[in-house]
């Protein structure tokens, strides 16, 4: 913080002022006390604002990006999975599965760089950075977010498609589907009323677990597109050794993950009568 | 009598293993993946002996040249041949990622065996810690650990990735051990008066090897992913390593003027992770059939 040429007295004074000369356990208990009171402490970077003032706008920005990415990937992923699942074992199925899985393992920054190269540098359709001018309208914001959201969506597509596909395959094989066919229901009705409804259950659970992954993916993507979100904030805090901001940022990331998982569990129970009735008994 | 049964059992196991290998060699995705992987392994082993120019020191006077017949992938801002650097760039990541995966597998398997076998307080404590660690995304956790460790050498990156991955492996192993521990052979070994570490490592471990192997190959893909991402954001390998992600993080700010310094290493990373993924996917299909 004070630079490499700081005198020993200055360091000692700084440490004393910020309480970092106390034992680690004392500092930790102090930090915990702050959390309970809703006080995350102050950033170590001058002018040392309360960390929440730094985290809040970053959190909002990240949420915009994440929601946008999900709006793109969820319909495509489910569609791709259903499409593959209904053609199980055929070339279309193999194609979707292999391409989806391959895209899922390529690091986000690689996908993002290729997207930037093609869509902003070669074709000139979309802006290179995600950060818009202050006071930009909704449409401009969407244009800026399009590439980073696409990069995240491409990585997620494979997971969602795979789970949907597995669900469809399982449901197609199930006794109730055979019964529905034998009842004489037309194929379309069987698929929409019996197969898809059952197949989409695990998909919801997986989409929720991917939120945690998404926050991690945000680090590289926000850095690449220079977007002031939670991921870039954690990264900058780590680079500047701003430990208060770093710990608070990681805490917020963990809490976001927990909250999203909880919401997904509740949504899962609401949608699934088996769990709903079990809980009622 | 036991010897006859044991022999037939052993030959049965051998037949099963040969059958699995045959299935593996017949799967096109395995062959493609293994081929690409072998190509990068060869490049990593031979290094600067096969590159047309020196990947690190050769600074020709042709700075930032477009791809041409002389420099297939062009040259970077320092005049280094990008083709040579892409060929040499697989070395560090093919050392770090497998080493990290191996460390994580050993550590995670031990943790998983202990928690799954003993249950009780040890299990509860370790499992809750693992849950908490898993709530933090991998890259965020890795950045935090790298910052706390304060070192960015290849060794530090390896250990950090291993630390971050072991809870995930531990969870998988624990689930597998929970299923095994109730079987009769474990009870028999215990009644025989074997010590718990013997039962864990000599009796249970061989039987949970398939899921561990599958998990390890999956983790290898993610280890490459993680090392590359960490390096790209500046928390992994450092220049002058010809590593692909180092090349990208060095040059991506100049993407508009010299796309070839970024695109070719990017394709190389993609080809490696996809190859590892194809291999792990086919191994998984064969082992779980």
């Amino acid at each position: 913080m004070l630079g490499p040429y700081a005198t020993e007295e200055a360091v000692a004074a700084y440490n004393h002022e910020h309480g970092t000369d106390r034992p680690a356990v004392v500092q930790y208990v102090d930090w915990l006390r702050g959390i309970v009171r809703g006080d995350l402490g102050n950033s170590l970077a001058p002018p040392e604002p309360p960390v929440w003032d730094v985290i809040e706008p970053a959190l909002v920005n990240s949420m915009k990006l994440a929601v946008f990415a999900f709006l793109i990937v969820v319909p495509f992923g489910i569609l791709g999975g259903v499409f593959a699942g209904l053609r199980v074992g055929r070339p279309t199925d193999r194609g979707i599965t292999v391409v989806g899985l391959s895209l899922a393992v390529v690091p986000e920054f690689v996908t993002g760089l290729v997207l930037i190269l093609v869509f902003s540098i070669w074709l000139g359709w979309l802006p290179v950075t995600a950060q818009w001018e202050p006071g930009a309208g909704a449409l401009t914001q969407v244009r800026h977010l399009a590439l980073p959201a696409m990069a995240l969506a491409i990585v997620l597509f494979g997971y969602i498609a795979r789970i949907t596909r597995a669900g469809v395959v399982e449901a197609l094989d199930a006794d109730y589907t055979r019964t529905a066919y034998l009842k004489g229901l037309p194929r379309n009705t069987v698929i929409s009323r019996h197969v898809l409804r059952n197949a989409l259950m695990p998909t919801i659970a997986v989409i929720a677990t991917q939120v945690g992954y998404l926050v991690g993916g945000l680090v590289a993507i926000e850095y690449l597109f220079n977007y002031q979100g939670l991921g870039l904030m954690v990264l900058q805090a780590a680079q500047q050794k701003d430990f208060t901001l770093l710990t608070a940022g990681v805490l917020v990331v963990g809490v976001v993950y927990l909250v999203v998982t909880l919401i997904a569990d509740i949504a899962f129970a609401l949608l699934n009568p088996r769990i709903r009735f079990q809980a009622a008994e | 009598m036991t010897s006859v049964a044991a022999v037939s059992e052993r030959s049965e196991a051998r037949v099963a293993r040969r059958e699995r290998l045959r299935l593996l060699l017949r799967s096109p995705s395995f062959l493609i993946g293994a081929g690409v992987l072998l190509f990068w392994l060869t490049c990593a082993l031979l290094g600067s002996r096969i590159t047309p120019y020196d990947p690190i020191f050769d600074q020709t006077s042709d700075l930032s040249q477009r791809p041409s017949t002389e420099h297939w992938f062009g040259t970077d801002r320092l005049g280094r041949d990008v083709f040579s650097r892409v060929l040499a760039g697989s070395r560090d990541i093919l050392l770090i990622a497998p080493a990290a995966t191996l460390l994580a597998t050993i550590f995670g398997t031990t943790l998983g065996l202990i928690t799954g076998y003993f249950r009780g307080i040890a299990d509860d404590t370790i499992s809750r810690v693992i849950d908490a660690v898993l709530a933090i995304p991998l890259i965020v956790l890795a950045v935090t650990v790298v910052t706390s460790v304060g070192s960015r050498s290849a060794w530090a990156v390896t250990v950090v990735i291993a630390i971050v991955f072991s809870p995930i492996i531990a969870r998988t192993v624990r689930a597998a051990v929970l299923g095994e521990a109730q079987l009769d052979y474990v009870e028999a070994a215990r009644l025989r008066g074997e010590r718990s570490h013997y039962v864990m490592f000599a009796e249970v471990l061989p039987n949970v090897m398939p899921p561990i192997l599958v998990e390890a190959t999956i983790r290898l893909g993610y280890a490459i992913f993680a090392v590359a991402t960490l390096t790209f954001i500046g928390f992994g390998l450092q220049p002058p390593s010809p590593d692909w992600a180092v090349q990208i993080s060095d040059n991506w700010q100049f993407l508009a003027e010299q796309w070839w310094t970024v695109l070719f290493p990017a394709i190389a990373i993609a080809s490696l992770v996809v190859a590892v993924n194809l291999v792990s996917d086919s191994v998984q299909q064969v082992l779980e059939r």
Side-chain angles (χ1 to χ4, degrees):
Chain A
M1 280 306 144
L2 302 172
Y5 304 113
T7 59
E8 239 167 76
E9 295 86 60
V11 172
Y14 181 89
N15 276 341
H16 189 70
E17 192 189 324
H18 292 84
T20 40
D21 53 352
R22 296 170 303 162
V25 179
V26 177
Q27 287 185 51
Y28 179 65
V29 169
D30 201 40
W31 181 76
L32 275 185
R33 256 193 218 144
I35 303 291
V36 175
R37 288 198 310 263
D39 175 18
L40 291 166
N42 284 34
S43 164
L44 294 177
E48 310 199 355
V51 287
W52 182 245
D53 292 359
V54 186
I55 291 177
E56 198 191 342
L59 188 62
V60 172
N61 275 349
S62 282
M63 274 161 103
K64 277 186 192 167
L65 179 53
V67 168
F68 194 10
F70 269 105
L71 285 181
I72 300 175
V73 76
V74 170
F76 276 107
I78 291 182
L79 226 82
V82 169
F83 203 70
L86 291 178
R87 285 165 189 72
V88 80
R90 298 208 216 141
T92 338
D93 171 35
R94 283 300 293 164
I96 291 179
T97 311
V98 170
V99 170
L101 278 186
S102 303
L103 289 176
V105 289
V106 175
E108 308 84 0
F109 74 93
V110 173
T111 323
L113 278 167
V114 173
L115 287 176
I116 292 182
L117 194 59
V118 173
F119 288 104
S120 24
I121 293 177
W122 287 346
L123 294 173
W125 290 352
L126 292 164
V128 177
T129 63
Q131 205 56 56
W132 51 78
E133 306 281 314
L139 198 68
T140 321
Q141 296 195 7
V142 167
R143 266 175 58 82
H144 276 91
L145 286 180
L147 282 185
M150 253 163 76
L152 290 171
I154 285 175
V155 175
L156 287 174
F157 170 81
Y159 291 109
I160 295 181
R162 176 168 57 172
I163 299 299
T164 313
R165 176 187 173 277
V168 169
V169 171
E170 199 188 314
L172 276 176
D173 230 24
D175 289 341
Y176 55 79
T177 306
R178 202 184 50 193
T179 310
Y181 272 120
L182 292 178
K183 261 190 327 200
L185 290 180
R187 183 176 150 87
N188 282 340
T189 318
V190 176
I191 288 175
S192 62
R193 294 242 316 258
H194 294 274
V195 175
L196 292 191
R197 237 184 236 192
N198 285 294
L200 293 184
M201 296 311 302
T203 313
I204 297 165
V206 166
I207 289 174
T209 58
Q210 292 308 315
V211 172
Y213 149 77
L214 194 66
V215 182
L218 286 173
V219 177
I221 285 295
E222 287 174 354
Y223 173 71
L224 177 62
F225 287 93
N226 190 24
Y227 183 62
Q228 288 297 330
L230 204 57
L232 187 59
M233 188 207 80
V234 166
L235 193 61
Q236 285 166 342
Q239 271 161 353
Q240 292 160 4
K241 302 217 188 295
D242 186 344
F243 286 108
T244 347
L245 188 56
L246 182 59
T247 39
V250 174
L251 182 72
V252 168
V253 168
V255 169
V256 167
Y257 176 76
L258 288 183
V259 169
V260 171
T261 318
L262 184 67
I263 293 175
D265 278 350
I266 294 172
F268 197 65
L270 285 180
L271 286 170
N272 191 343
R274 272 169 294 192
I275 297 180
R276 201 163 64 220
F277 291 140
Q278 220 169 30
E281 273 166 19
Chain B
M1 138 220 136
T2 46
S3 69
V4 174
V7 165
S8 77
E9 202 172 275
R10 210 174 301 149
S11 71
E12 231 168 66
R14 203 176 302 142
V15 168
R17 205 173 306 142
R18 201 173 300 153
E19 175 68 9
R20 281 188 196 143
L21 198 66
R22 206 174 56 83
L23 278 172
L24 210 53
L25 290 176
R26 265 185 21 198
S27 126
S29 54
F30 175 79
L31 290 179
I32 296 173
V36 174
L37 199 57
L38 213 62
F39 171 75
W40 288 124
L41 273 174
T42 320
C43 289
L45 286 175
L46 297 176
S48 52
R49 257 162 288 173
I50 52 163
T51 58
Y53 300 87
D54 190 296
I56 298 174
F57 298 108
D58 191 79
Q59 308 199 345
T60 65
S61 50
D62 312 328
L63 309 183
S64 306
Q65 292 276 306
R66 288 180 158 277
S68 61
T69 44
E70 197 177 333
H71 299 286
W72 290 0
F73 290 178
T75 60
D76 66 6
R77 278 171 299 129
L78 300 175
R80 292 173 296 194
D81 181 50
V82 176
F83 182 61
S84 305
R85 283 173 70 72
V86 167
L87 285 187
S90 60
R91 192 196 57 200
D92 289 356
I93 203 155
L94 281 180
L95 211 63
I96 292 178
T101 310
L102 189 68
L103 266 179
T105 308
I106 294 171
F107 194 56
T109 303
T110 313
L111 268 183
L113 275 173
I114 292 172
T115 52
Y117 184 77
F118 286 120
R119 317 287 303 276
I121 296 178
D123 182 24
D124 284 342
T125 325
I126 298 176
S127 290
R128 288 300 85 73
V129 173
I130 289 176
D131 284 346
V133 171
L134 288 183
I136 301 168
L138 197 113
I139 294 297
V140 175
L141 188 60
V143 165
T144 315
V145 177
V146 169
T147 311
S148 327
V149 173
S151 157
R152 289 176 194 180
S153 64
W155 269 111
V157 177
T158 312
V159 172
V160 166
I161 303 275
I163 293 174
V164 174
F165 277 179
S166 7
I168 309 175
I169 296 176
R171 195 185 252 190
T172 310
V173 177
R174 177 177 175 272
V177 171
L178 281 184
E180 284 300 312
Q182 283 157 16
L183 298 183
D184 288 342
Y185 75 90
V186 177
E187 193 60 38
R190 223 177 279 170
L191 289 177
R192 237 173 26 229
E194 304 287 4
R195 303 196 170 204
S196 11
H197 63 84
Y198 175 85
V199 183
M200 267 194 280
F201 287 97
E203 300 275 355
V204 178
L205 184 59
N207 287 295
V208 293
M209 267 330 257
I212 295 178
L213 209 64
V214 168
E215 186 66 30
T217 54
I218 295 175
R219 281 308 127 205
L220 179 62
Y222 283 104
I224 298 174
F225 188 118
V227 175
T229 304
L230 271 184
T231 302
F232 172 68
I233 58 180
F235 282 80
L237 298 165
Q238 304 292 327
S241 162
D243 181 75
W244 297 322
V246 173
Q247 291 183 52
I248 293 176
S249 98
D250 260 3
N251 290 303
W252 71 274
Q253 304 279 4
F254 310 96
L255 186 64
E257 298 92 52
Q258 28 173 298
W259 52 267
W260 53 90
T261 54
V262 175
L263 184 62
F264 294 117
I267 292 174
I269 294 184
S271 75
L272 181 65
V273 283
V274 169
V276 170
N277 188 55
L278 286 178
V279 169
S280 77
D281 202 44
S282 6
V283 168
Q284 191 176 351
Q285 274 181 7
V286 170
L287 281 182
E288 284 176 358
R289 110 183 355 242

